[in-house]
Amino acid sequence: MLSFTDPNQMQQQALAWRQTSETIAFVPTMGALHRGHAALLQAGRSRGTKLVLSIFVNPAQFGPNEDLSNYPRSLEADLELAQQCEVDAVFLPTQEAIYPANFRSYVEVEQLTRGLCGGARPEHFRGVTTIILKLLQIVQPHCTLFGEKDYQQLQVIRRMVTDFMIPVEIIGVPTVREADGLALSSRNQHLSAAERQTARAIPEALFAAQEMKAQGPDEMITAVRATLIAAGLRDIDYITIVNPNTLVPVTRLDQPARLCVAVRIGETRLIDNVGL
Ligand code: AMP
């Protein structure tokens, strides 16, 4: 497995691969890898002749009071998982290499970034789109894989790639879950044993909603809220049902829609979503 820290060297390797007609599949991550990331790598492995993984905890997508400094890091285990997933190259840039002192450019996707997580995290998606555009320039992939777990992020990146005509295919990968339904997340390791028990109410509420014969979105949202509160999850950031493409809240349930939630458990903020 090749390893690069210098963005120029990574880009030179990617361009060399392209010259010899290799196809590059790319999985960008912030590390602390788990089975969710592995699912993206496996999907990428079957789509590219070269598979690139990046690990970079991107400061630009964390707010001033967010968990940048204690974001989980586990490089040794991450590299082992990368080997197991037959990654060809891992890209591990430093903050200084990505954001040198004279860095001045940011990308902003309008509207799609305002609702859902954009409410509580106003600068977050600007940081996400900026790093992803930069990584796409460095890694030059033919396809890039993202998890549906971060559904808004996936739609925002699809929009950016379409708007700027970036020649890359964006592939969404279904959410990988624990046995009790909780979506795998690097942040789950911050949960205490009691919080982890409580967290299972999130997928329970979402799966129950999928089976529900609700009259409309308000009724469904009320039911989801009741399930979460009954489990002791009172710090609910949002429960919203949106159009899966525009992310605009729906007023009826007669078309495909996406039910999205964000909940705080102690210091940890968890998000999840399901299709309706
Ligand atoms: P992160 O390291 O949290 O920035 O995530 C990197 C990529 O992995 C993103 O595309 C996430 O959506 C995806 N991802 C994270 N958790 C899961 C999961 N449980 N199932 C599928 N994909 C995931």
Side-chain angles (χ1 to χ4, degrees), residues 216-235:
D218 290 347
E219 196 185 359
M220 186 175 280
I221 288 167
T222 302
V224 171
R225 186 179 303 278
T227 306
L228 295 179
I229 289 175
L233 295 171
R234 283 175 206 87
D235 196 353

Side-chain angles (χ1 to χ4, degrees), residues 16 39 46 83 97 107-108 113 140 183 186 195 207 215-216 230 234 252 258 273:
S46 62
Q83 295 267 18
V107 185
E108 210 155 321
T113 55
Q140 299 280 314
S186 307
E195 289 170 343
F207 296 153
Q215 300 287 316
R234 283 175 206 87
R252 296 156 59 132
R258 204 88 196 173
N273 67 88

Side-chain angles (χ1 to χ4, degrees), residues 27-40 54 56 61 71 132 145-151 153-154 157 171 173-178 182-188:
V27 176
T29 77
M30 299 206 297
L33 301 183
H34 50 63
R35 285 188 293 113
H37 299 111
L40 303 191
S54 69
F56 179 64
Q61 70 189 68
Y71 193 84
I132 294 299
L145 300 104
F146 292 90
E148 288 182 353
K149 149 110 187 340
D150 300 279
Y151 191 79
Q153 167 174 285
L154 173 61
I157 287 164
I171 296 160
V173 176
T175 302
V176 178
R177 298 178 178 280
E178 302 279 9
L182 183 67
L184 291 181
S185 165
S186 307
R187 290 188 167 101
N188 291 354

Side-chain angles (χ1 to χ4, degrees), residues 156-166 168 170:
V156 166
I157 287 164
R158 283 192 197 284
R159 187 74 256 156
M160 173 181 78
V161 162
T162 304
D163 286 351
F164 289 129
M165 298 180 70
I166 303 172
V168 63
I170 301 298

Side-chain angles (χ1 to χ4, degrees), residues 7 24 46 52 92 122 139 146 155 169 195 209 253 266 271:
I24 303 171
S46 62
V52 179
L92 306 161
V139 177
F146 292 90
Q155 295 310 114
E169 186 187 358
E195 289 170 343
L253 290 176
I271 58 172

